[in-house]
Amino acid sequence: LLAVAEGHLDDLPLDDLPRFREAFSERLTTDCPRALVEIDRTGELSDGARTDILRVVEACVADLKPSGNEQGD
């Protein structure tokens, strides 16, 4: 929800959302384990955890290539 609310997914084609969700889930677990533990333990989103999560969002969006649906006829 944070990524959507802050507009990080605005330019992502809808067809790429499943790929984003999968990549985000995997990277979040490997790149931000402390943030996940902190959120689980406190129920709060600290500034540091927010920054870490948004860094992963941006990396996942940047890594996604067009799904191939935009090819010309």
Side-chain angles (χ1 to χ4, degrees):
L1 289 175
L2 176 65
V4 172
E6 300 224 353
H8 292 278
L9 304 182
D10 288 354
D11 294 329
L12 191 66
L14 290 176
D15 291 344
D16 288 335
L17 282 177
R19 290 174 49 211
F20 169 81
R21 286 180 24 204
E22 182 178 333
F24 178 69
S25 179
E26 290 173 11
R27 285 187 77 158
L28 192 60
T29 302
T30 58
D31 293 1
C32 299
R34 284 185 283 174
L36 296 177
V37 169
E38 176 185 325
I39 293 167
D40 188 47
R41 190 188 59 190
T42 67
E44 303 275 333
L45 180 63
S46 70
D47 289 340
R50 181 183 174 281
T51 299
D52 290 345
I53 290 168
L54 288 177
R55 182 177 35 83
V56 170
V57 167
E58 291 169 1
C60 289
V61 169
D63 288 347
L64 285 178
K65 305 272 189 260
S67 61
N69 294 337
E70 296 80 26
Q71 291 179 339
D73 292 340

